Amino acid sequence: MILVFDVGNTNIVLGLYKDNDLIESWRIATDKDKSSDEYGILIHQLFQYSGRNLEDVEDVIMSSVVPNIMYSLEHSIRKVFNIEPLVVGPGVKTGMDIKYDNPKQVGADRIVNAVSAFEKYGGPLIIVDFGTATTFCAISPKGEYLGGTIAPGIKISSDALFQRAAKLPRVELVKPGKVICKNTVNSMQAGIIYGYVGLVEYIIKKMTRELKQQDVKVIATGGLSTLIASETKHIHIVDKTLTLDGLKIIYTRNKEERKEKIATEIELREI
Ligand SMILES: Nc1ncnc2c1ncn2[C@@H]1O[C@H](COP(=O)(O)OP(=O)(O)OP(=O)(O)O)[C@@H](O)[C@H]1O
Ligand SMILES: CC(C)(CO)[C@@H](O)C(=O)NCCC(=O)O
Ligand SMILES: [K+]
């Protein structure tokens, strides 16, 4: 089995793959103050809680957009599994040509999503990830990463509204059904959710025009993707496991080279 980690600014999502099937997934809060032992305990507990064996994990791959958490997290993996995790970054084969001014600057989560979506659905594509930030990525028909857009996430936007205005409360993110609202909570829900639908539709339309392609597929992922996708015809597919599946795909692309490298290291150690 292969264990994958998607380290985001709000959550770390773990997925356990048996061959190509995602058989477990877990979500824990991203906490830069947790030590490697605390992460180790959490991993132990998640496996125990789902009746899984740590010994079944053959290898670990991770991608992260939170650099300062990686020291503890990688160390916890070494301790729990005695495995040096494969971390998506320079030197890892993704099979994707990154057309960014500085390819190292693109968030690893965006690349993982792009690899996954191109493999699963083919190009041309727009990927929308509703996480801490909402990212939009454009992929060409032949699978090049062309770049995209980063907008403040839905939760960040709604938090800012209640933190900055004395009479505005924290609201649940549910649709009020209309925009002529008769109370504060509904008015805020309408502004956040329908306002966000407008943001999403406008970026998708503009990105589709810039792509100059017919039949652009629009794929959404992330916790709040269903909330927005149910309100617009511009999102064609919601794929909640897009990032985890991308990590598994990238792992497979690097598997042989990795096994050779580990074998050489063991040989060298034995000399
Ligand atoms: N149903 C919901 N109601 C309110 N907030 C939610 C809901 N689902 C997710 N969120 C919040 O929305 C934000 C984005 O969540 P999501 O799970 O998509 O991304 P994430 O994995 O936490 O993001 P990242 O990858 O950046 O860490 C988070 O702050 C999350 O707590
Ligand atoms: C935009 C986020 C925060 C989304 O998780 C992440 O992809 C990131 O930190 N990206 C780096 C900047 C960039 O992608 O251009
Ligand atoms: K995410």
Side-chain angles (χ1 to χ4, degrees):
M1 290 182 200
I2 305 301
L3 182 63
V4 310
F5 283 76
D6 160 26
V7 183
N9 284 289
T10 310
N11 287 302
I12 301 174
V13 187
L14 293 79
L16 187 64
Y17 282 84
K18 185 171 188 214
D19 303 316
N20 287 323
D21 299 323
L22 179 64
I23 56 169
E24 295 290 350
S25 73
W26 302 287
R27 184 176 281 266
I28 60 180
T30 303
D31 179 358
K32 62 175 177 16
D33 296 325
K34 267 202 179 66
S35 70
S36 59
D37 287 326
E38 287 172 306
Y39 279 117
I41 291 168
L42 266 178
I43 295 169
H44 267 277
Q45 285 175 338
L46 291 173
F47 273 73
Q48 200 171 31
Y49 150 80
S50 303
R52 299 286 174 188
N53 280 326
L54 292 166
E55 292 77 28
D56 292 335
V57 173
E58 299 152 51
D59 218 339
V60 178
I61 178 165
M62 46 205 319
S63 73
S64 167
V65 293
V66 191
N68 62 9
I69 206 176
M70 293 308 280
Y71 178 82
S72 311
L73 208 52
E74 286 179 54
H75 194 57
S76 74
I77 290 159
R78 276 180 220 120
K79 274 180 118 169
V80 174
F81 300 104
N82 195 22
I83 286 171
E84 185 61 46
L86 181 65
V87 182
V88 176
V92 172
K93 214 173 7 182
T94 59
M96 188 158 275
D97 191 3
I98 313 290
K99 307 278 193 200
Y100 221 50
D101 290 344
N102 173 4
K104 290 198 193 87
Q105 206 177 50
V106 191
D109 52 352
R110 303 176 75 187
I111 298 191
V112 173
N113 282 341
V115 168
S116 184
F118 185 70
E119 169 93 11
K120 290 169 95 169
Y121 307 103
L125 278 167
I126 292 173
I127 304 151
V128 191
D129 188 338
F130 296 93
T132 309
T134 298
T135 58
F136 299 76
C137 302
I139 314 300
S140 74
K142 52 180 184 178
E144 297 148 313
Y145 184 92
L146 301 174
T149 303
I150 303 171
I154 305 175
K155 185 80 184 335
I156 289 182
S157 310
S158 75
D159 284 352
L161 196 55
F162 96 88
Q163 279 163 4
R164 297 298 188 91
K167 294 186 69 172
L168 299 188
R170 187 197 286 271
V171 299
E172 197 188 341
L173 291 176
V174 291
K175 287 180 209 165
K178 52 186 173 180
V179 292
I180 302 180
C181 302
K182 311 267 187 225
N183 60 65
T184 307
V185 168
N186 286 167
S187 301
M188 291 173 67
Q189 290 169 327
I192 296 160
I193 300 172
Y194 302 128
Y196 218 86
V197 172
L199 179 154
V200 169
E201 288 193 345
Y202 191 78
I203 304 259
I204 291 174
K205 278 190 225 164
K206 205 166 164 59
M207 201 171 269
T208 304
R209 276 201 297 275
E210 270 178 47
L211 267 167
K212 297 191 186 76
Q213 297 291 333
Q214 297 293 311
D215 303 319
V216 178
K217 284 172 227 106
V218 182
I219 318 291
T221 190
L224 296 165
S225 50
T226 329
L227 181 72
I228 303 299
S230 61
E231 196 61 36
T232 170
K233 58 179 189 335
H234 289 88
I235 293 174
H236 306 132
I237 298 169
V238 173
D239 184 342
K240 290 283 175 78
T241 61
L242 189 71
T243 318
L244 297 180
D245 292 342
L247 284 163
K248 175 64 177 54
I249 293 164
I250 293 174
Y251 176 76
T252 307
R253 293 188 182 161
N254 288 271
K255 191 170 142 183
E256 290 315 316
E257 228 168 87
R258 183 165 164 83
K259 284 195 172 145
E260 278 166 30
K261 191 167 158 254
I262 292 170
T264 323
E265 274 164 15
I266 293 171
E267 260 170 50
L268 286 174
R269 238 178 281 148
E270 281 168 356
I271 293 170

